Amino acid sequence: MTNLSAQNTIIVGTYTNSEKCKSGGIYIFDFDENTYKYDLKFHTENVINPSFVSLSPDKKFLFSVNENGDKSTVSSFSIEETDGKLIKKDEKKTQGEDPCFLISDDQNIITANYSDGSINVFKRYVDGKLSDVFQNIKFEGVGLNPKRQEKSHIHQVQFSPDHQYVLATDLGLDKIYVFKYNKTGEEVLEKIGEFDAKKGSGPRHITFDKTGKLIYLVQELSGDLSVLSFNDGKIDLIQEETLLSRKVRFNFRAADIHLSNNERFVYVTNRDDADDITVFIRKKDGTVKKIQQTKTIGRNPRNFSISPNNKLVLIANQDTNRINIFTRDLKNGLLTATGKSIPVCSPVNVIFYEKGK
């Protein structure tokens, strides 16, 4: 008999513009953490490039970006409790091109618009509907890398654990911007500072530890993991470690980063010729040491997710159209490929949805 506590739901955001397969947008699977069995329960139709999705804090709504150049939008859906299907509630145009990340709370939706280097704030209503863009912040400048840093490219926005701040990574200008978060009022995001990353490094994603005093930053262009301190809105560099061998000669693009639930380990994906995931052990002072680097058994590993039982890591391999399943040792943090995967066209973002939690 299957252990019912192992039953979970996963939600997958995809690109719908693949020439090799057809995606309807957002896919929802029932998934068993013990047997790795999956069952496709629902998928949207004709939702354009929902490459990143975010659950509302109460898990009643799902929000997605829709990357589509100057026609880009943000969509909201309610999640039906009985069958887990998505019901579209609203769609609003962004004032920026190609949103690639968004965060939400019970008041606001905040997007990172990659292609034109801007951040949008939308008001969120109790029924899941959205306002038009309430606040638009745009950044100008040029970075070191002429191909990738010809202008600002906002790649992520993230709440601090205490919800007092929002941080934004600028891959184009090698910066992390710090905003005071005013949940209500005319100016939701109030810029109070910025951190200069290494020139040409391309800050992509960050994750906080639970104290909110340490930040872990992955840099797409340099392939570095940085440990940063965060105090009263001020960021300082503590440590920088490479994901690469020092004599690397291949193409790479570092991607996603997550801490394990007990915060003993840090995981980072890297794409292109690397196509791997690196495991770091976290020391008591928050600094890290590399302990494993293993292939993701797929091409272009994007976002990944650690399962609720902490024993699995699901990695979205965009170019091989599969979410590959790895086991995770709870004691030493090391990953092992299971040979099992979930087929999805052009998966980018995978999250777990625990019903009733």
Side-chain angles (χ1 to χ4, degrees):
M1 181 179 290
T2 302
N3 179 5
L4 292 178
S5 64
Q7 290 286 354
N8 271 287
T9 299
I10 59 172
I11 303 175
V12 183
T14 71
Y15 278 122
T16 57
N17 56 3
S18 172
E19 296 178 355
K20 296 181 179 180
C21 57
K22 184 180 185 303
S23 169
I26 301 170
Y27 286 73
I28 298 179
F29 295 85
D30 280 346
F31 176 72
D32 191 296
E33 292 171 285
N34 289 339
T35 65
Y36 316 147
K37 289 183 178 179
Y38 58 88
D39 182 22
L40 177 62
K41 302 300 289 185
F42 175 80
H43 68 84
T44 57
E45 296 281 0
N46 303 315
V47 173
I48 296 173
N49 293 332
S51 61
F52 194 86
V53 296
S54 173
L55 285 164
S56 63
D58 60 12
K59 309 290 179 71
K60 292 182 178 179
F61 299 99
L62 183 76
F63 306 100
S64 84
V65 301
N66 303 107
E67 290 189 50
N68 193 21
D70 61 5
K71 299 177 182 177
S72 294
T73 60
V74 172
S75 297
S76 66
F77 305 84
S78 62
I79 303 174
E80 297 298 292
E81 289 187 9
T82 51
D83 53 18
K85 291 182 178 180
L86 299 180
I87 306 296
K88 191 171 183 179
K89 303 295 289 186
D90 209 352
E91 183 175 356
K92 294 293 185 181
K93 196 175 185 307
T94 57
Q95 286 184 20
E97 297 180 21
D98 300 318
C100 61
F101 206 100
L102 81 170
I103 53 176
S104 64
D105 61 12
D106 58 357
Q107 293 283 334
N108 301 295
I109 308 291
I110 305 171
T111 68
N113 303 320
Y114 179 83
S115 291
D116 76 332
S118 66
I119 298 170
N120 287 167
V121 180
F122 300 81
K123 288 294 181 184
R124 196 210 110 178
Y125 304 117
V126 292
D127 60 359
K129 291 191 174 182
L130 309 174
S131 73
D132 290 326
V133 173
F134 183 80
Q135 185 178 12
N136 179 44
I137 304 170
K138 188 166 168 50
F139 298 91
E140 305 285 350
V142 179
L144 183 67
N145 184 326
K147 291 183 178 180
R148 295 295 311 278
Q149 298 183 305
E150 79 290 358
K151 58 182 175 180
S152 169
H153 292 299
I154 305 298
H155 212 296
Q156 187 194 40
V157 283
Q158 196 68 271
F159 289 119
S160 60
D162 63 7
H163 226 64
Q164 298 301 304
Y165 301 94
V166 168
L167 275 62
T169 55
D170 192 332
L171 184 146
L173 304 185
D174 297 314
K175 291 180 181 290
I176 300 176
Y177 306 115
V178 181
F179 300 89
K180 189 79 176 70
Y181 179 55
N182 305 308
K183 199 170 185 179
T184 58
E186 291 299 314
E187 190 177 32
V188 174
L189 297 181
E190 177 187 350
K191 188 169 179 284
I192 61 169
E194 58 186 51
F195 169 77
D196 290 314
K198 184 169 61 179
K199 295 296 183 186
S201 63
R204 180 181 170 94
H205 280 189
I206 61 169
T207 187
F208 279 90
D209 76 343
K210 291 174 184 175
T211 70
K213 298 295 186 183
L214 290 172
I215 297 169
Y216 295 83
L217 163 71
V218 60
Q219 294 159 104
E220 178 174 330
L221 304 182
S222 64
D224 290 317
L225 166 64
S226 297
V227 183
L228 310 170
S229 65
F230 185 68
N231 292 295
D232 296 325
K234 187 175 186 299
I235 300 173
D236 289 298
L237 177 65
I238 296 174
Q239 180 193 19
E240 201 153 72
E241 290 291 317
T242 182
L243 302 173
L244 315 165
S245 65
R246 293 297 178 186
K247 297 179 181 179
V248 67
R249 287 285 185 271
F250 56 71
N251 295 320
F252 62 88
R253 286 177 299 152
D256 198 18
I257 182 168
H258 293 286
L259 282 169
S260 62
N261 186 58
N262 64 5
E263 303 197 317
R264 288 191 61 215
F265 304 98
V266 185
Y267 298 85
V268 187
T269 46
N270 197 1
R271 298 168 289 170
D272 295 345
D273 294 337
D275 283 341
D276 59 29
I277 185 166
T278 303
V279 186
F280 294 85
I281 191 166
R282 188 169 175 258
K283 302 174 186 177
K284 288 185 178 180
D285 63 359
T287 59
V288 297
K289 178 184 177 183
K290 188 189 300 182
I291 59 172
Q292 185 190 26
Q293 194 164 61
T294 186
K295 290 289 186 178
T296 58
I297 325 294
R299 295 194 305 274
N300 197 0
R302 293 288 296 264
N303 299 59
F304 63 96
S305 185
I306 300 173
S307 64
N309 69 4
N310 299 299
K311 295 179 181 179
L312 301 177
V313 174
L314 273 58
I315 304 173
N317 288 285
Q318 180 183 336
D319 292 351
T320 35
N321 306 313
R322 290 196 171 265
I323 297 169
N324 285 356
I325 302 168
F326 285 71
T327 58
R328 177 179 170 272
D329 189 295
L330 295 179
K331 291 185 179 179
N332 61 30
L334 300 182
L335 303 179
T336 304
T338 65
K340 304 288 187 180
S341 62
I342 303 169
V344 189
C345 176
S346 202
V348 181
N349 181 214
V350 54
I351 62 174
F352 279 87
Y353 166 60
E354 297 179 82
K355 298 173 185 175
K357 293 187 179 182

